Amino acid sequence: FARLAMLPALDALPAGPVDLVVEAVTEDLALKHRLLADIEARVGARTVIATNTSGLRISDVTGRLRRPQRAAGLHFMIPAHVMLAVEITRGEHTAPATMRRLIGWMQEMGKVPLVLNRDVPGMLINRIQHAMYREIYHLIDSGVATARDVDLAVRFGFGFRYGIVGPVVSRDIHGLPVHLATSRNLYPTLH
C-alpha cells in the first residue's frame, strides 16, 4: 500500500484510483447495504470492497453489490494496530483474484491472514471466542468460579500457552488419547 487513510465520510474518498475500501460501521445490515451501495457508486470497477463485519455472513452483507466478485470480508481485531490476525472471508461470489489481493496486502502490512473458504456467521475468531464465553458465563452464573478467577485462568493458564502454540498443536503435544478420554467425560457437561 502506498497510502492508508481512515476516512470520516465517503466524501473524503480521494479522486483517482483506490485499491481497497473497508467498511467498518456497526452490525446493522441495512446500514451496511446503504453504505456499500454508496461506496460502489464512488469507486472504480477494480476497487476491492471489504466489510469488517464481526458476526454477519459476508454474502448477506455484499450480495446486493453489482460486482460482488470484488467483495469479501476483512475482519481486523481490536486494537487493529496491535493485533496481527486478520480474517479474510470469501463470500458466495468472491473471485479468487480478490482473495489473492487481500491476502497479499495483509501480508505486506505484516498481518497474519486467516483465510475462511466458507462464509459462516462470526467467522473464525468470534465463533471460537463466543463458544468459550458461553461456558465462562455459565460457570460464573452457576457459582463455580468468580469472574476474577476465570480471567486469571485464561491469562495465566491456557491463554498463556496459546501465545506459543495453538490449540490444535497443543492437543497433539499432550496426546490425543488423553484429550479424547477427557472430552468423553467433559462434553456432556458443557453449557
Side-chain angles (χ1 to χ4, degrees):
F1 283 105
R3 191 176 88 202
L4 299 173
M6 179 181 271
L7 305 177
L10 285 182
D11 293 337
L13 269 173
V18 174
D19 291 324
L20 171 65
V21 176
V22 181
E23 161 276 310
V25 297
T26 187
E27 296 294 285
D28 178 330
L29 188 57
L31 173 62
K32 287 181 181 289
H33 284 161
R34 287 191 307 274
L35 182 59
L36 289 177
D38 198 2
I39 289 169
E40 188 173 39
R42 293 170 185 258
V43 299
R46 286 196 31 83
T47 302
V48 173
I49 299 174
T51 177
N52 191 50
T53 183
S54 298
L56 298 170
R57 288 186 63 247
I58 304 309
S59 297
D60 293 341
V61 176
T62 63
R64 293 185 178 184
L65 293 172
R66 289 179 314 212
R67 294 183 191 94
Q69 67 275 10
R70 62 153 170 190
L74 189 63
H75 184 224
F76 290 85
M77 294 343 112
I78 295 174
H81 67 290
V82 174
M83 301 299 284
L84 295 176
V86 176
E87 294 170 307
I88 304 174
T89 305
R90 179 187 316 275
E92 183 179 344
H93 302 288
T94 305
T98 299
M99 293 297 287
R100 285 191 302 272
R101 288 175 78 191
L102 288 169
I103 292 165
W105 288 331
M106 293 305 103
Q107 288 171 333
E108 285 178 37
M109 291 175 62
K111 297 294 186 181
V112 177
L114 308 175
V115 180
L116 283 82
N117 292 311
R118 285 196 42 224
D119 185 7
V120 294
M123 283 82 54
L124 182 61
I125 291 176
N126 274 331
R127 291 183 73 87
I128 293 169
Q129 286 183 136
H130 282 269
M132 180 181 70
Y133 291 146
R134 182 179 54 212
E135 185 63 24
I136 284 170
Y137 294 129
H138 172 70
L139 291 168
I140 293 168
D141 290 345
S142 300
V144 173
T146 65
R148 177 185 178 279
D149 284 328
V150 167
D151 281 348
L152 292 173
V154 173
R155 287 181 62 210
F156 301 107
F158 65 89
F160 188 78
R161 174 177 57 222
Y162 291 156
I164 300 164
V165 62
V168 176
V169 171
S170 175
R171 291 294 187 233
D172 285 341
I173 291 170
H174 295 125
L176 294 178
V178 170
H179 289 289
L180 177 60
T182 301
S183 298
R184 286 183 175 143
N185 292 323
L186 180 61
Y187 284 7
T189 71
L190 293 175
H191 184 64

